[in-house]
């Protein structure tokens, strides 16, 4: 279910970026400027994952040994991500997202977040209506 929700989120963000790009294109932005912001060279199919740079980033993020050789620099980026996120906030964010993703959206929202307390509960309660709204929309192939 988590991968399903992540796939939906990727599709939604991609659609948003296309809409924003279309708006700026109509405002007269140069195509090369739009492409520099959209970064199309970074796009790839979800079925192509994971690749070496994904594994390197995850190893750095989790504090595992660096793959040899890491020619992508993603291992260092994974380490840097962890160093710049407060560990407590990372736990809160993770708990909130997991509870929201695994909840039964038909249930009472307060019940869905179970035993979460404080900021994690607040964040989960903010996420649940967004997921419910997304579930009520018809699937899109765009």
């Amino acid at each position: 279910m988590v991968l399903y929700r992540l796939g939906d989120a990727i599709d939604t963000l991609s659609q948003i970026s296309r809409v924003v790009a279309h708006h700026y294109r109509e405002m007269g932005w140069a195509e090369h400027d739009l492409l520099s912001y959209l970064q199309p060279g970074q796009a790839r199919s979800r079925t192509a994952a994971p690749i070496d740079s994904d594994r390197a980033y995850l190893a750095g993020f989790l504090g595992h040994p660096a793959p040899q050789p890491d020619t992508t620099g993603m291992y260092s980026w994974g380490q840097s991500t962890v160093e710049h996120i407060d560990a407590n906030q990372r736990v809160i964010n993770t708990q909130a997202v997991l509870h929201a993703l695994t909840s039964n959206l038909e249930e009472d929202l307060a019940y869905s977040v179970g035993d979460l307390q404080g900021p994690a509960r607040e964040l989960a309660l903010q996420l649940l209506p967004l997921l419910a709204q997304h579930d009520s929309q018809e699937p899109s192939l765009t």
Side-chain angles (χ1 to χ4, degrees):
M1 195 62 180
V2 171
L3 288 175
Y4 181 81
R5 295 278 191 212
L6 288 172
D8 285 347
I10 291 166
D11 291 341
T12 300
L13 289 172
S14 180
Q15 184 177 23
I16 291 168
S17 68
R18 290 190 310 270
V19 167
V20 171
H22 178 71
H23 170 73
Y24 285 124
R25 187 175 287 118
E26 286 188 342
M27 290 178 55
W29 278 34
E31 194 65 26
H32 65 85
D33 289 338
L34 286 171
L35 291 176
S36 72
Y37 286 111
L38 286 172
Q39 305 173 55
Q42 293 182 10
R44 65 172 200 258
S45 169
R46 293 190 296 259
T47 61
I51 60 174
D52 289 342
S53 61
D54 298 329
R55 291 183 188 94
Y57 178 85
L58 185 59
F61 187 82
L62 296 175
H64 295 168
Q68 297 299 326
D70 176 26
T71 58
T72 64
M74 293 302 289
Y75 181 81
S76 297
W77 192 6
Q79 287 179 312
S80 176
T81 301
V82 171
E83 292 168 2
H84 293 97
I85 297 176
D86 174 76
N88 187 45
Q89 187 62 49
R90 187 171 48 244
V91 169
I92 288 170
N93 292 349
T94 303
Q95 287 176 328
V97 170
L98 287 175
H99 272 78
L101 286 171
T102 58
S103 72
N104 178 350
L105 296 174
E106 301 299 321
E107 296 175 353
D108 175 66
L109 293 183
Y111 176 78
S112 295
V113 296
D115 59 349
L116 286 180
Q117 302 295 318
R121 183 180 185 84
E122 292 171 22
L123 181 58
L125 286 170
Q126 291 172 17
L127 291 170
L128 286 168
L130 298 173
L131 293 172
Q133 179 184 18
H134 186 280
D135 274 0
S136 68
Q137 298 172 356
E138 291 194 20
S140 171
L141 298 177
T142 58

